[in-house]
């Protein structure tokens, strides 16, 4: 957990954010600057920076959460940015679930 991390603050409910899904280990909420008509962030409640630090229980929980939030979508794009080259802005592991428009490939 990090006291200055914006996603930790959201996970701790210190910032007013509409929660889309939540369980013991994960929380999902709308991205503040959506890049698609629906743009949801799925994060571990615990502050983790690297995918290698995800234990099996958390990995199950994260993919279950992604499954729940995407269940009524016709299709979606799942994105995880890691590090400088990927343009990661928030250093708390998170998955973007984006839907509601035609996506391009390859991504920019
Ligand atoms: P990254 O580039 O790190 O993969 O993406 C970070 C995402 O977090 C961006 O899409 C950005 O719009 C979103 N974001 C940053 N700060 C906040 C915030 O305070 N609230 C919410 N809901 N989303 C945020
Ligand atoms: Zn954090």
């Amino acid at each position: 957990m990090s006291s200055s991390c914006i996603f930790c603050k959201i996970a701790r409910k210190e910032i007013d954010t509409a929660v889309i899904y939540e369980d013991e280990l994960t929380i999902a909420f709308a991205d503040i600057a959506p890049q698609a008509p629906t743009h949801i962030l799925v994060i571990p409640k615990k502050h983790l920076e690297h995918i290698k630090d995800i234990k099996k229980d958390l990995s199950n929980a994260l993919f279950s959460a992604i499954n729940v939030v995407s269940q009524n979508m016709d299709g979606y794009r799942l994105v995880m940015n890691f590090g400088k080259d990927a343009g990661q802005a928030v250093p708390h592991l998170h998955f973007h679930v984006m839907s509601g428009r035609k996506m391009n490939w390859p991504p920019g």
Side-chain angles (χ1 to χ4, degrees):
M1 194 181 298
S2 162
S3 56
S4 61
C5 171
I6 191 86
F7 286 180
C8 281
K9 286 181 182 166
I10 289 172
R12 290 196 300 263
K13 315 274 172 64
E14 290 170 13
I15 293 174
D16 195 25
T17 306
V19 174
I20 294 166
Y21 171 82
E22 173 175 26
D23 59 34
E24 192 191 337
L25 299 175
T26 75
I27 186 164
F29 50 92
D31 196 292
I32 205 168
Q35 300 302 310
T38 303
H39 186 165
I40 299 169
L41 298 173
V42 177
I43 72 167
K45 286 183 172 172
K46 182 178 169 188
H47 184 88
L48 291 181
E49 297 197 356
H50 202 287
I51 207 162
K52 72 174 164 33
D53 298 321
I54 304 179
K55 302 254 178 348
K56 202 170 169 184
D57 280 2
L58 179 57
S59 138
N60 286 345
L62 285 165
F63 280 100
S64 293
I66 290 164
N67 200 34
V68 171
V69 301
S70 65
Q71 63 192 345
N72 295 318
M73 296 174 179
D74 287 333
Y76 63 89
R77 172 143 312 155
L78 181 63
V79 171
M80 193 205 73
N81 294 317
F82 180 74
K84 214 166 140 188
D85 277 0
Q88 184 182 13
V90 179
H92 178 132
L93 188 91
H94 54 278
F95 293 93
H96 300 252
V97 181
M98 289 176 280
S99 77
R101 68 167 169 84
K102 188 97 178 78
M103 304 283 168
N104 298 316
W105 193 262

